[in-house]
Amino acid sequence: MVDWGAVRRVIASYRGAPLGVRAFVGARFAIAPLRALGEEAGTVAGRMLSLGCGYGALERYLAEINPALHIEGIDLDRRKVDLVNSTADRSPRVRLREGDATQIDLAPVYDAVLVCDALHHFPPDTHGPLAKAIAGCLRPGGVCIVKDLDVRPRWKYEWNRLHDRVVAGPEPILCRTPAEMAATFEDAGFVTERAERTEARLAPYAHYVVRLRKPADDGPAL
């Protein structure tokens, strides 16, 4: 279930931010599959890395509903990072830093990695290398949670593209099916535990969640 009290607290944590930012945060909560994301993050304790996290609204929500979670976000936009960190005292277990989420090279210190609505914005030739880099920064047994958008049905795909054009501009967008996304990470040594659509039948956004596990033995062969 969705914790709407936590949603309200997160929205309130952006008080003082420009109106456009607060509107974006509110719209993010209206669209995102909070129940599915909460189910996945609710099983994680420890450090989570979030790639391409934007204003960090979903990360603040996940930290609100799971007090065992500490989230470090990476985003390319310095203005977003500065804005979120300026209000970090309102969500102290979520911190952001500037960086290219497609070029991570980090030690295996994370219990989970979240990639939420970011991969379809990343160049397609970065997906495979990024999956390997994510495996490299996870502890054995760690989990990667991918939330992205499907290519079917066509009307939802076209609506998603229109939405992204309005929000992100004319940059290229590449959506993959849940099976294709899972296969990309399996090639990096992950084991798929979940790959399914999460939206209501008539909802216009083709959300899906893929949960992938790094093996608990020697990890993936990279």
Side-chain angles (χ1 to χ4, degrees):
M1 62 181 293
V2 176
D3 186 335
W4 292 109
V7 170
R8 289 190 292 272
R9 291 192 296 274
V10 171
I11 292 174
S13 76
Y14 290 88
R15 63 185 180 274
L19 179 59
V21 172
R22 286 178 284 149
F24 180 89
V25 168
R28 193 80 171 106
F29 283 119
I31 293 170
L34 297 180
R35 182 179 60 82
L37 288 170
E39 289 172 354
E40 296 299 336
T43 65
V44 177
R47 297 176 67 181
M48 173 183 279
L49 179 68
S50 180
L51 302 179
C53 56
Y55 289 111
L58 294 179
E59 288 74 11
R60 286 187 171 185
Y61 172 74
L62 297 178
E64 277 283 331
I65 65 172
N66 182 354
L69 200 56
H70 295 259
I71 303 178
E72 301 167 30
I74 297 177
D75 197 87
L76 197 59
D77 191 329
R78 183 71 203 179
R79 293 172 300 173
K80 292 178 181 177
V81 172
D82 288 344
L83 186 147
V84 173
N85 287 340
S86 71
T87 60
D89 60 315
R90 302 169 192 167
S91 186
R93 287 182 287 106
V94 178
R95 295 283 178 168
L96 270 61
R97 61 183 172 87
E98 183 181 7
D100 186 342
T102 69
Q103 300 294 324
I104 60 170
D105 183 13
L106 301 168
V109 297
Y110 295 96
D111 302 285
V113 174
L114 174 67
V115 193
C116 186
D117 290 332
L119 275 164
H120 64 273
H121 291 288
F122 296 165
D125 61 352
T126 67
H127 292 189
L130 180 59
K132 292 182 179 180
I134 290 172
C137 75
L138 278 170
R139 294 188 174 109
V143 65
C144 178
I145 303 163
V146 177
K147 152 63 186 81
D148 220 280
L149 297 165
D150 204 347
V151 299
R152 294 188 291 267
R154 188 73 186 183
W155 72 270
K156 291 192 178 188
Y157 173 70
E158 294 298 341
W159 174 259
N160 297 165
R161 282 177 59 83
L162 175 62
H163 172 105
D164 278 334
R165 288 285 181 260
V166 172
V167 174
E171 65 184 41
I173 294 169
L174 176 69
C175 294
R176 298 183 186 274
T177 67
E180 290 171 341
M181 188 67 76
T184 298
F185 281 79
E186 288 169 359
D187 287 344
F190 283 93
V191 176
T192 301
E193 295 183 338
R194 177 186 186 185
E196 62 185 27
R197 293 281 287 268
T198 61
E199 89 281 8
R201 186 169 64 88
L202 296 180
Y205 294 95
H207 300 302
Y208 67 81
V209 170
V210 179
R211 180 176 68 245
L212 306 124
R213 183 79 56 180
K214 177 176 176 176
D217 47 23
D218 293 331
L222 303 181

